[in-house]
Amino acid sequence: MGSVLLTGGTGFIGSHTAVELLLAGRDVVLLDDLSNSEAGVAERIGRIAGRQPPFVRADAADRRALRRVFLDWDIEAVVHFAGFKAVGESAARPLAYYRNNLDSALSLLETMAEFGCRRFIFSSSATVYGERCPVPYREDMPAGDCSSPYGRTKYMIEEILKDAAAADGSLSVVLLRYFNPIGAHESGLIGEKPSGIPNNLMPYITQVAAGLRPRLNVFGNDYPTRDGTCVRDYIHVTDLARGHLAALGFAEAHRGTEIFNLGTGRGFSVLEVVRAFGEATGQPVPFEFAPRRPGDLPEFYADASKAEAVLGWRAEKSLADMCRDSWRWQQNALKQD
Ligand code: NAD
Ligand code: UD1
């Protein structure tokens, strides 16, 4: 068996996926330009998994660098995590997002064609469903009604991959639509490290609990939900990582394009997450209600039945696990700084 190339392999989801693949006996090559992660993550992945994966510092859009990787290793599949992902920033810097996210996908597809590598797993997002789709989101609903340039890059890459697979019957493409990944590896060695003020809920909560910020602003308490705050499908990053292992197995046996939601199928409100965090960690999270954040949808969560039926995968970890592991990581990350 050859190696699996993980672009964005030292990032939040890539690093957890690397650990799960290594533990399952797969060989991986990590590629990352370190625009949003640190080289030390590669060493920590090796420490958790008991063997050190090779790490290449390169831009995934750089075809010469990619050719070197495909010459040096027998790459049998690519999992493409690399990309810019901040929704707000994508509205301020759309061209940087289109350039980075689209170019890296195209360069990978071209290099894979050159070397006969036929399996592409793509990190897409639930954001491609958009506000017109009723919840729970199902893979066969129309997509593309995205509310940000970031979301549109995900949708455009999905379409590019579908066209590539339609034109080449030997290609196997798996589009994974992630819901809201949170948590961290239970070792406390790897996790998400947002730079600056966190945009996302869980990193903000852990920073409040650590005393780095005075309180959480809960964006909106007048949504048409059970307690007025927004509902999301939070999934533990280790569960999400294991979904990639299942997707790789699927890609080995199938051709064409297949889409899977990776979520738990269950939604929690912002206030439910705040309460669960306090109960799981013993750390209270002071909060106050603030105005709605533009672009937020009241409620979304996955219909997770297709991944269970076809991939034999489902999320196992609880919201309490997600809170405990996020908190452990926050405490460790603080010690490292
Ligand atoms: P992350 O920023 O932690 O990881 C992405 C990694 O890609 C970073 O290490 C960054 O340095 C690297 N990178 C960026 N551009 C690159 C390039 N051109 N060449 C090489 N490396 C590059 O983000 P993440 O949370 O791990 O997300 C991984 C993927 O999953 C992204 O594509 C993201 O859009 C997608 N996704 C994430 C979420 C989420 O909530 N975290 C949700 C849905 C989809
Ligand atoms: C956002 C992105 C999504 C991306 C995901 C990464 C949008 C529209 N969507 O999703 O594309 O994949 O991040 O996880 O931006 N909240 C607060 N206070 C805070 C932070 C968040 O109340 O300080 C609330 C938000 O209003 C939201 C919920 O918490 O209701 C979750 O927010 P967040 O973690 O940012 O994720 P999403 O907005 O769902």
Side-chain angles (χ1 to χ4, degrees):
M1 231 193 252
S3 296
V4 181
L5 175 62
L6 306 184
T7 72
T10 50
F12 174 44
I13 304 168
S15 59
H16 290 79
T17 303
V19 166
E20 296 306 314
L21 296 189
L22 288 165
L23 291 175
R26 307 292 296 247
D27 290 327
V28 305
V29 176
L30 310 174
L31 180 140
D32 204 295
D33 66 0
L34 303 182
S35 54
N36 196 36
S37 57
E38 302 160 357
V41 173
E43 183 272 322
R44 280 180 258 145
I45 291 168
R47 230 192 303 161
I48 299 169
R51 61 197 171 103
Q52 191 60 51
F55 170 63
V56 178
R57 180 175 185 174
D59 181 346
D62 179 349
R63 285 192 60 186
R64 282 177 57 194
L66 291 180
R67 290 195 83 245
R68 275 200 302 277
V69 170
F70 279 77
L71 285 169
D72 287 349
W73 288 278
D74 170 23
I75 302 296
E76 63 168 47
V78 172
V79 188
H80 183 38
F81 300 99
F84 294 155
K85 64 160 184 176
V87 173
E89 187 189 50
S90 79
R93 302 177 60 225
L95 299 187
Y97 273 68
Y98 287 116
R99 171 66 74 190
N100 191 42
N101 293 3
L102 295 178
D103 257 8
S104 52
L106 290 169
S107 293
L108 278 164
L109 278 171
E110 288 163 350
T111 311
M112 287 169 63
E114 192 181 334
F115 286 85
C117 177
R118 308 283 65 206
R119 292 168 202 144
F120 196 112
I121 316 283
F122 177 57
S123 298
S124 190
S125 167
T127 196
V128 301
Y129 288 108
E131 60 189 306
R132 272 179 245 152
C133 292
V135 290
Y137 290 159
R138 290 175 49 88
E139 291 86 346
D140 54 10
M141 286 176 174
D145 177 27
C146 307
S147 57
S148 71
Y150 163 73
R152 274 186 284 281
T153 70
K154 292 291 164 190
Y155 179 67
M156 286 176 185
I157 296 168
E158 286 196 357
E159 294 298 296
I160 290 168
L161 288 167
K162 282 187 205 163
D163 287 343
D168 175 352
S170 68
L171 197 58
S172 177
V173 166
V174 182
L175 307 177
L176 299 178
R177 292 180 177 161
Y178 308 157
F179 282 68
N180 286 54
I182 58 170
H185 194 264
E186 61 183 9
S187 65
L189 286 172
I190 53 173
E192 184 175 22
K193 216 169 184 182
S195 51
I197 302 170
N199 292 311
N200 298 122
L201 180 63
M202 186 53 84
Y204 207 102
I205 286 179
T206 62
Q207 292 198 3
V208 170
L212 298 173
R213 309 198 180 272
R215 73 192 67 78
L216 172 73
N217 290 311
V218 174
F219 298 140
N221 62 346
D222 57 351
Y223 284 101
T225 59
R226 50 187 172 263
D227 62 18
T229 66
C230 292
V231 169
R232 295 289 181 270
D233 184 339
Y234 298 95
I235 175 168
H236 195 293
V237 65
T238 295
D239 278 331
L240 188 72
R242 291 177 183 153
H244 294 73
L245 188 59
L248 276 167
F250 175 85
E252 278 153 22
H254 292 81
R255 299 287 172 268
T257 304
E258 208 62 48
I259 306 174
F260 295 101
N261 287 338
L262 293 186
T264 66
R266 172 150 189 214
F268 288 101
S269 74
V270 176
L271 289 182
E272 286 165 347
V273 175
V274 167
R275 203 171 311 123
F277 187 89
E279 284 166 10
T281 67
Q283 301 293 320
V285 180
F287 68 88
E288 64 185 19
F289 293 116
R292 291 182 177 196
R293 183 172 67 175
D296 276 346
L297 300 180
E299 177 169 47
F300 66 80
Y301 50 92
D303 178 329
S305 56
K306 183 178 174 189
E308 179 159 8
V310 180
L311 299 179
W313 168 91
R314 69 180 172 140
E316 305 282 349
K317 291 182 180 273
S318 67
L319 183 59
D321 296 328
M322 302 182 214
C323 293
R324 265 193 300 272
D325 291 339
S326 295
W327 178 231
R328 187 182 304 109
W329 163 247
Q330 171 70 46
Q331 290 168 293
N332 275 20
L334 279 178
K335 266 186 249 148
Q336 285 162 21
D337 289 338

